[in-house]
Amino acid sequence: MSTLEKAIDLLQTLPERELETAYTFLQFIDFQKNNDKNNEYGTNKTSAFGIAHEYANPELIPLEKEAFANAMSEKHALD
């Protein structure tokens, strides 16, 4: 049995909600494949880092190291 046949058999057993999730994932893989083929430099500009990088604020980078600890301190502070 081929991998495609195995995948189809498995997909036929999934509930509709899980099938929609699997389909969305397959669309994402196809999008990434097509995007990589069209990208002449071989860098992936659709990654989360690539997209968000243009919005980065270099002045806040030093604060990131302690951001989680600070957030937890504020959240659980005893007043």
Side-chain angles (χ1 to χ4, degrees):
M1 182 180 279
S2 72
T3 302
L4 179 58
E5 291 169 324
K6 291 176 190 175
I8 290 170
D9 286 345
L10 181 60
L11 289 171
Q12 289 176 338
T13 65
L14 291 177
E16 186 68 23
R17 183 174 179 185
E18 291 177 14
L19 187 58
E20 289 175 8
T21 303
Y23 180 69
T24 302
F25 179 68
L26 290 171
Q27 286 179 311
F28 172 74
I29 292 171
D30 187 54
F31 173 78
Q32 291 290 7
K33 177 188 68 164
N34 291 334
N35 191 43
D36 288 345
K37 285 181 183 176
N38 295 333
N39 193 343
E40 96 182 60
Y41 298 108
T43 58
N44 189 354
K45 296 290 183 183
T46 60
S47 70
F49 177 76
I51 292 170
H53 185 69
E54 65 186 86
Y55 301 105
N57 183 347
E59 295 173 5
L60 297 177
I61 292 174
L63 301 176
E64 290 178 2
K65 292 180 181 176
E66 297 177 6
F68 182 76
N70 291 341
M72 290 300 103
S73 295
E74 288 178 22
K75 180 178 179 179
H76 300 289
L78 300 174
D79 292 324

